[in-house]
Amino acid sequence: MSGMEQGSGEYFVRIGVGSPPRSQFMVIDSGSDIVWVQCQPCNQCYKQSDPVFNPADSASFTGVSCSSAVCDRLENAGCHAGRCRYEVSYGDGSYTKGTLALETLTVGRTTVRNLAIGCGHRNQGMFVGAAGLLGLGGGSLSFVGQLGGQTGGAFNYCLVSRGTGASGSLEFGRGALPVGAAWVPLVRNPRATSFYYVGLSGLGVGGMRVPISEDIFRLNQLGYGGVVMDTGTAVTRLPTVAYEAFRDSLVSIFDTCYNLFGFVSVRVPTVSFYFSGGPILTLPANNFLIPVDDAGTFCFAFAPSPSGLSIIGNIQQEGIQISFDGANGFVGFGPNVC
């Protein structure tokens, strides 16, 4: 479901944490690995809509020692009083810090035991309303990484359009992969294993290709640049050169906001992503023109990236069935709409 009602640009999923399961909203994030929730005692917590998880109330909560193998898999593990400590910071300056634990999660009707999760005692950032984050990235500690053989690194989701009040879907396992999708190869970056990179060869406006060099989107040998698919980012980011050419092709639509108040209908050109290997993903207007107030102001849901990294965000993914086949290295678009 969209986190809009909680004041968030993220998408949430309802997950039971612990035994007995306590229902919590968690952010669906395909751009990071660690699964975590805010935990009592909370030294520093942002506001969430469910009561903060208390490990003392869960029969299945087990702390992880510093010497355990799972602690070794953390990128910047620490040790405090014999317990494995984790900390993760995100691109927007948000962070979570706390201890690692093994816990039971209930997803739909499925119970997953002994999952390594972060118990966050110091958390800050853009997670408003959610209790934590469900990392679905490509690394070994993500939710799909830990399920491993059970899912084959496969999952699919449908993010419903914001403000509809409807709920989308999130499914795991090879059986969830649809027939008839347009498949695009994933690109591996050994320096950033949690990111799902795709080869983007160009952008189009109204069926015409924007004159941007394919090199702008390429992942280089040092692991810089490239294009990442990320449900945890709302607005798509493009390198400044590409962003400006793209924006200018849209007749300087937005730096870019328009007042469309009083218009019954507005003709807007489509926007297309051209992927290396053939498929073209063409987006309807509501995947790139978003209302920002009640007075008819719409803004362009693209922004320049200060680095060379491009991110295809969740606004551009709305309404499209998206599947990841992590084991075979593909992402699929369609065939269904949400």
Side-chain angles (χ1 to χ4, degrees):
M1 61 169 284
S2 162
M4 231 176 124
E5 277 145 36
Q6 320 280 347
S8 170
E10 308 286 8
Y11 279 86
F12 296 172
V13 61
R14 208 84 177 116
I15 287 189
V17 182
S19 308
R22 310 275 168 182
S23 206
Q24 307 264 327
F25 280 124
M26 292 174 76
V27 172
I28 302 169
D29 188 12
S30 63
S32 70
D33 288 341
I34 305 284
V35 178
W36 60 271
V37 290
Q38 297 202 108
C39 264
Q40 300 281 16
C42 221
N43 304 333
Q44 179 194 333
C45 279
Y46 59 84
K47 192 171 178 291
Q48 65 175 64
S49 55
D50 300 299
V52 173
F53 179 70
N54 189 348
D57 295 339
S58 171
S60 47
F61 185 92
T62 320
V64 169
S65 73
C66 305
S67 57
S68 86
V70 71
C71 194
D72 288 343
R73 282 153 64 187
L74 278 173
E75 265 183 35
N76 35 4
C79 195
H80 179 71
R83 289 274 170 253
C84 180
R85 289 191 58 76
Y86 80 95
E87 58 179 85
V88 183
S89 53
Y90 300 93
D92 62 4
S94 306
Y95 62 80
T96 173
K97 302 175 183 181
T99 54
L100 203 65
L102 298 179
E103 185 54 290
T104 296
L105 293 195
T106 307
V107 184
R109 290 186 289 276
T110 305
T111 302
V112 184
R113 291 184 176 81
N114 293 324
L115 202 79
I117 72 165
C119 189
H121 299 296
R122 294 183 73 86
N123 319 289
Q124 185 179 312
M126 310 284 283
F127 314 109
V128 184
L133 192 140
L134 185 71
L136 298 176
S140 68
L141 277 179
S142 83
F143 184 71
V144 279
Q146 292 192 65
L147 292 178
Q150 292 167 276
T151 63
F155 62 100
N156 94 46
Y157 55 83
C158 241
L159 306 177
V160 288
S161 295
R162 286 170 165 71
T164 59
S167 57
S169 62
L170 174 63
E171 299 177 284
F172 298 95
R174 303 210 67 78
L177 297 179
V179 174
W183 295 97
V184 174
L186 290 168
V187 179
R188 297 298 293 170
N189 181 0
R191 291 173 177 266
T193 53
S194 56
F195 284 164
Y196 295 111
Y197 287 87
V198 288
L200 187 69
S201 60
L203 299 165
V205 172
M208 299 289 287
R209 203 133 168 179
V210 178
I212 303 171
S213 162
E214 195 171 331
D215 293 344
I216 288 175
F217 300 115
R218 201 164 270 143
L219 178 67
N220 73 20
Q221 288 171 327
L222 297 173
Y224 296 109
V227 180
V228 170
M229 299 263 310
D230 181 14
T231 58
T233 295
V235 171
T236 287
R237 310 271 166 183
L238 301 169
T240 305
V241 177
Y243 169 77
E244 288 175 351
F246 182 51
R247 179 198 63 200
D248 294 347
S249 298
L250 273 159
V251 201
S252 63
I253 290 197
F254 297 120
D255 230 19
T256 12
C257 291
Y258 303 85
N259 185 347
L260 304 178
F261 183 75
F263 286 89
V264 176
S265 68
V266 179
R267 290 190 66 168
V268 177
T270 56
V271 160
S272 302
F273 290 108
Y274 293 85
F275 290 102
S276 316
I280 300 170
L281 182 63
T282 298
L283 303 178
N286 60 356
N287 282 39
F288 59 89
L289 273 187
I290 51 170
V292 291
D293 60 24
D294 295 333
T297 309
F298 283 74
C299 289
F300 188 42
F302 286 83
S305 163
S307 71
L309 180 68
S310 302
I311 302 170
I312 298 177
N314 66 36
I315 294 169
Q316 280 62 45
Q317 298 180 46
E318 274 181 18
I320 303 162
Q321 183 179 27
I322 295 179
S323 309
F324 282 91
D325 181 352
N328 295 309
F330 285 93
V331 59
F333 301 103
N336 300 319
V337 292
C338 310

PDB file of all heavy atoms in Angstrom, residues 9-23:
ATOM      1  N   GLY A   9       6.370   9.055   1.096  1.00  0.00           N
ATOM      2  CA  GLY A   9       6.434   8.777  -0.337  1.00  0.00           C
ATOM      3  C   GLY A   9       6.810   7.335  -0.618  1.00  0.00           C
ATOM      4  O   GLY A   9       7.045   6.945  -1.757  1.00  0.00           O
ATOM      5  N   GLU A  10       6.892   6.531   0.449  1.00  0.00           N
ATOM      6  CA  GLU A  10       7.289   5.130   0.305  1.00  0.00           C
ATOM      7  C   GLU A  10       6.060   4.239   0.160  1.00  0.00           C
ATOM      8  O   GLU A  10       4.930   4.677   0.357  1.00  0.00           O
ATOM      9  CB  GLU A  10       8.053   4.671   1.572  1.00  0.00           C
ATOM     10  CG  GLU A  10       9.206   5.556   1.971  1.00  0.00           C
ATOM     11  CD  GLU A  10      10.414   5.433   1.084  1.00  0.00           C
ATOM     12  OE1 GLU A  10      10.322   4.751   0.040  1.00  0.00           O
ATOM     13  OE2 GLU A  10      11.455   6.021   1.414  1.00  0.00           O
ATOM     14  N   TYR A  11       6.314   2.969  -0.124  1.00  0.00           N
ATOM     15  CA  TYR A  11       5.253   1.953  -0.131  1.00  0.00           C
ATOM     16  C   TYR A  11       5.462   1.019   1.049  1.00  0.00           C
ATOM     17  O   TYR A  11       6.593   0.648   1.371  1.00  0.00           O
ATOM     18  CB  TYR A  11       5.278   1.174  -1.450  1.00  0.00           C
ATOM     19  CG  TYR A  11       4.584   1.932  -2.552  1.00  0.00           C
ATOM     20  CD1 TYR A  11       5.261   2.877  -3.303  1.00  0.00           C
ATOM     21  CD2 TYR A  11       3.230   1.724  -2.813  1.00  0.00           C
ATOM     22  CE1 TYR A  11       4.609   3.603  -4.298  1.00  0.00           C
ATOM     23  CE2 TYR A  11       2.574   2.444  -3.807  1.00  0.00           C
ATOM     24  CZ  TYR A  11       3.265   3.367  -4.536  1.00  0.00           C
ATOM     25  OH  TYR A  11       2.614   4.077  -5.511  1.00  0.00           O
ATOM     26  N   PHE A  12       4.352   0.666   1.722  1.00  0.00           N
ATOM     27  CA  PHE A  12       4.412  -0.141   2.934  1.00  0.00           C
ATOM     28  C   PHE A  12       3.816  -1.525   2.721  1.00  0.00           C
ATOM     29  O   PHE A  12       2.915  -1.699   1.903  1.00  0.00           O
ATOM     30  CB  PHE A  12       3.590   0.519   4.065  1.00  0.00           C
ATOM     31  CG  PHE A  12       4.092   1.860   4.534  1.00  0.00           C
ATOM     32  CD1 PHE A  12       3.334   2.608   5.429  1.00  0.00           C
ATOM     33  CD2 PHE A  12       5.305   2.384   4.104  1.00  0.00           C
ATOM     34  CE1 PHE A  12       3.765   3.850   5.885  1.00  0.00           C
ATOM     35  CE2 PHE A  12       5.749   3.620   4.551  1.00  0.00           C
ATOM     36  CZ  PHE A  12       4.977   4.355   5.439  1.00  0.00           C
ATOM     37  N   VAL A  13       4.313  -2.470   3.497  1.00  0.00           N
ATOM     38  CA  VAL A  13       3.712  -3.807   3.542  1.00  0.00           C
ATOM     39  C   VAL A  13       3.476  -4.130   5.016  1.00  0.00           C
ATOM     40  O   VAL A  13       4.205  -3.665   5.887  1.00  0.00           O
ATOM     41  CB  VAL A  13       4.641  -4.849   2.852  1.00  0.00           C
ATOM     42  CG1 VAL A  13       5.992  -4.949   3.553  1.00  0.00           C
ATOM     43  CG2 VAL A  13       3.981  -6.218   2.766  1.00  0.00           C
ATOM     44  N   ARG A  14       2.412  -4.888   5.285  1.00  0.00           N
ATOM     45  CA  ARG A  14       2.062  -5.256   6.663  1.00  0.00           C
ATOM     46  C   ARG A  14       2.743  -6.578   6.983  1.00  0.00           C
ATOM     47  O   ARG A  14       2.523  -7.574   6.282  1.00  0.00           O
ATOM     48  CB  ARG A  14       0.527  -5.417   6.708  1.00  0.00           C
ATOM     49  CG  ARG A  14      -0.088  -5.147   8.067  1.00  0.00           C
ATOM     50  CD  ARG A  14      -0.336  -3.658   8.293  1.00  0.00           C
ATOM     51  NE  ARG A  14      -0.992  -3.443   9.576  1.00  0.00           N
ATOM     52  CZ  ARG A  14      -0.443  -2.774  10.577  1.00  0.00           C
ATOM     53  NH1 ARG A  14       0.751  -2.263  10.473  1.00  0.00           N
ATOM     54  NH2 ARG A  14      -1.096  -2.591  11.701  1.00  0.00           N
ATOM     55  N   ILE A  15       3.555  -6.602   8.031  1.00  0.00           N
ATOM     56  CA  ILE A  15       4.303  -7.811   8.380  1.00  0.00           C
ATOM     57  C   ILE A  15       4.184  -8.069   9.873  1.00  0.00           C
ATOM     58  O   ILE A  15       4.229  -7.126  10.676  1.00  0.00           O
ATOM     59  CB  ILE A  15       5.784  -7.650   7.948  1.00  0.00           C
ATOM     60  CG1 ILE A  15       5.839  -7.769   6.425  1.00  0.00           C
ATOM     61  CG2 ILE A  15       6.688  -8.685   8.612  1.00  0.00           C
ATOM     62  CD1 ILE A  15       7.179  -7.851   5.838  1.00  0.00           C
ATOM     63  N   GLY A  16       4.014  -9.354  10.248  1.00  0.00           N
ATOM     64  CA  GLY A  16       3.979  -9.728  11.658  1.00  0.00           C
ATOM     65  C   GLY A  16       5.398  -9.975  12.153  1.00  0.00           C
ATOM     66  O   GLY A  16       6.147 -10.726  11.535  1.00  0.00           O
ATOM     67  N   VAL A  17       5.774  -9.322  13.247  1.00  0.00           N
ATOM     68  CA  VAL A  17       7.122  -9.474  13.799  1.00  0.00           C
ATOM     69  C   VAL A  17       7.030 -10.151  15.159  1.00  0.00           C
ATOM     70  O   VAL A  17       6.261  -9.719  16.023  1.00  0.00           O
ATOM     71  CB  VAL A  17       7.818  -8.096  13.948  1.00  0.00           C
ATOM     72  CG1 VAL A  17       9.239  -8.257  14.477  1.00  0.00           C
ATOM     73  CG2 VAL A  17       7.819  -7.352  12.616  1.00  0.00           C
ATOM     74  N   GLY A  18       7.813 -11.230  15.348  1.00  0.00           N
ATOM     75  CA  GLY A  18       7.890 -11.896  16.646  1.00  0.00           C
ATOM     76  C   GLY A  18       6.848 -12.977  16.856  1.00  0.00           C
ATOM     77  O   GLY A  18       6.070 -13.312  15.971  1.00  0.00           O
ATOM     78  N   SER A  19       6.862 -13.531  18.076  1.00  0.00           N
ATOM     79  CA  SER A  19       5.901 -14.567  18.481  1.00  0.00           C
ATOM     80  C   SER A  19       5.339 -14.185  19.849  1.00  0.00           C
ATOM     81  O   SER A  19       6.089 -14.146  20.811  1.00  0.00           O
ATOM     82  CB  SER A  19       6.592 -15.921  18.604  1.00  0.00           C
ATOM     83  OG  SER A  19       7.308 -16.204  17.426  1.00  0.00           O
ATOM     84  N   PRO A  20       4.035 -13.928  19.971  1.00  0.00           N
ATOM     85  CA  PRO A  20       3.044 -13.866  18.882  1.00  0.00           C
ATOM     86  C   PRO A  20       3.353 -12.695  17.950  1.00  0.00           C
ATOM     87  O   PRO A  20       3.981 -11.723  18.366  1.00  0.00           O
ATOM     88  CB  PRO A  20       1.732 -13.622  19.631  1.00  0.00           C
ATOM     89  CG  PRO A  20       2.138 -12.917  20.891  1.00  0.00           C
ATOM     90  CD  PRO A  20       3.463 -13.513  21.273  1.00  0.00           C
ATOM     91  N   PRO A  21       2.930 -12.775  16.641  1.00  0.00           N
ATOM     92  CA  PRO A  21       3.271 -11.720  15.699  1.00  0.00           C
ATOM     93  C   PRO A  21       2.611 -10.384  16.019  1.00  0.00           C
ATOM     94  O   PRO A  21       1.422 -10.329  16.314  1.00  0.00           O
ATOM     95  CB  PRO A  21       2.772 -12.254  14.343  1.00  0.00           C
ATOM     96  CG  PRO A  21       1.904 -13.424  14.647  1.00  0.00           C
ATOM     97  CD  PRO A  21       2.171 -13.874  16.039  1.00  0.00           C
ATOM     98  N   ARG A  22       3.439  -9.325  16.022  1.00  0.00           N
ATOM     99  CA  ARG A  22       2.926  -7.961  16.172  1.00  0.00           C
ATOM    100  C   ARG A  22       2.924  -7.344  14.778  1.00  0.00           C
ATOM    101  O   ARG A  22       3.972  -7.272  14.151  1.00  0.00           O
ATOM    102  CB  ARG A  22       3.830  -7.112  17.072  1.00  0.00           C
ATOM    103  CG  ARG A  22       4.173  -7.771  18.398  1.00  0.00           C
ATOM    104  CD  ARG A  22       3.109  -7.539  19.424  1.00  0.00           C
ATOM    105  NE  ARG A  22       3.314  -8.414  20.589  1.00  0.00           N
ATOM    106  CZ  ARG A  22       2.520  -8.456  21.630  1.00  0.00           C
ATOM    107  NH1 ARG A  22       1.453  -7.674  21.671  1.00  0.00           N
ATOM    108  NH2 ARG A  22       2.758  -9.272  22.624  1.00  0.00           N
ATOM    109  N   SER A  23       1.770  -6.894  14.329  1.00  0.00           N
ATOM    110  CA  SER A  23       1.649  -6.367  12.979  1.00  0.00           C
ATOM    111  C   SER A  23       2.306  -4.989  12.860  1.00  0.00           C
ATOM    112  O   SER A  23       2.057  -4.118  13.686  1.00  0.00           O
ATOM    113  CB  SER A  23       0.167  -6.289  12.625  1.00  0.00           C
ATOM    114  OG  SER A  23       0.014  -6.371  11.244  1.00  0.00           O
TER     115      SER A  23
END
